[in-house]
Amino acid sequence: MARKKTKQKSSDSNQKIDEPTVGIKKKEDPTVLLADDDSDSSQDEDEVENQSISTEEGSVTASSNNANRNASKSTEQSGQVKPEEEASSESDSDSDGAESEEESNGGEDTSTPKPTAIEPAFCSDGRYHNKQRCLILCSRGVTSRFRHLLEDLRTLIPHHKKDSKLDVSKNQTGGIGAAVNEIAEMRGCNSVLFIECRKRKDAYLWLGHTGVGANASGASAGPSARFLIENIHTMDELRLTGNCMKGSRPLLSFDNNFDQREELKLLKCLFIDVFGTPRGHPKSKPFVDRVMGFYYADGKIWVRNYQIVEDHATNAKEAHTEKKLHGNTFSTSLVEIGPRFVLNPIRIFRGSFGGQTIFANEQYVSPNSIRSTTLKDKGRIYEERKTAQKKRKLRQEELVLPEDPLDSVFK
C-alpha cells in the first residue's frame, strides 16, 4: 500500500509537471503508461484530439469571419469611391467630347443633317424563294441579227429556259399565242420572251405572264405586251470595252416616267420579272456588277446595259485628291456592254398573247405603212420626172422660129 501511494504521488507530480507541456502540445503521447490506466489514457487521447480539432475549426472559422469582415469593409469603401470616380470620368468624357466636336466642326453649321444609313426594304434570308423561270424563243425565219440579239438576251437572263424555233401554221387553232403558252406550261415557265420575225425585216418582241406556277392558274394568265424592236446593236457588233461576270445579278434602273404613267407602271413590272435575276438562283452569281437602264423618250423605251467599274487610286496622293473631290478613295463609272435596242410599244393585252386590249399606242406606225409611204414617194418622183419630160417636149414644140426673108438670097 505504501508503495502504491508513493507511485500515485509520483505519478501525480509527473502529471503536474507535464500539464504545461500538454497545454502547449496536447498531441504528444505520455511517456509512462500503466496496464491499469489503458482506458483512461485512451479517453484522454480522444479528448485531446477533439480539443485540437475544435481549436483548429475555431481558428478556421475565426479567420473566415475576419476575411468576410475585411471584404465587406473593402466593398463599402469601393462603393463609396466608385460613384465619385464615375462622375469625374463622365464629366471628363463630356468635356473632351464637347471639345472634340467644336474642333471637328471648325466653325461649320451644326444644323446640317448627318447622312443616315439606308435601311433595306426587307430582310432576306438568302434562300431561293422567287422561283422565276423565263422562256426565251423565237419564230422560224429570223435573220442573223435577230438571232444574235436573242443569244445576247439569253446571256443577260440566267434564269431562262430556251426552246427551238417555233413554226406555227396559220390554220392552227389559237395561233402563236396558244403554242407559246403550251410550251411554257410544259417547261414550267411563268414568263415568256418571244421574238417574232416577219418578212425577214421586222422583229416584234412579246413579253408576258403565262400563269404557270405553284399558286397560279390558267385564268390568271397575263398581262402581255407587244413591242417593235428598232435600232438593234448586238455585243459583237458594238465592240464595246465593258465586260461583266456571266450570270451576275443586274441593277434595274427606270426613268421617272415609269412611276407617272399607268401603262409604264405595268411594263415596269414585266421588265422586273423578265430581266431581274431572282436571288439565290442556281445559275446566277452572287455579284452585282452591271446596270440595265430603261428610259422613256419620244414615246419609245430605250434599253441599255452597263458595267459598274471602280477605279482605285494607285498611290496616297491620288487617293487624297479623289477623297477630297468625291468623298471616297475610289471613283465609280459606267461602261456600256451591250446589247442596245429600242422598244416601240404597240399594245398591252389583258391575257397571255391575246385578250382585251388595255393600252394601244396611237402614235405607233407600222413598218409596212412606212415602207408603203416611201414607195409612194418614189412613185411620185417617177411621175414628176415624166411630167417634166412632157412639159419640156411641149415647150420645144412651141418655140418655132419665124421665116427669114433674106434666107433665099445667099443660096
Side-chain angles (χ1 to χ4, degrees), residues 1-17:
M1 293 295 289
R3 288 179 182 176
K4 287 183 181 179
K5 288 180 180 180
T6 54
K7 285 181 181 180
Q8 287 179 358
K9 287 181 181 179
S10 61
S11 62
D12 293 336
S13 61
N14 291 330
Q15 287 179 1
K16 289 179 181 179
I17 294 167

Side-chain angles (χ1 to χ4, degrees), residues 123-151:
C123 295
S124 177
D125 56 356
R127 295 181 180 178
Y128 179 36
H129 294 290
N130 184 17
K131 297 186 178 181
Q132 290 284 337
R133 299 181 186 90
C134 181
L135 177 66
I136 299 179
L137 73 165
C138 62
S139 63
R140 184 72 63 181
V142 293
T143 60
S144 60
R145 183 185 292 271
F146 302 152
R147 188 174 66 253
H148 292 164
L149 175 64
L150 190 71
E151 292 297 327

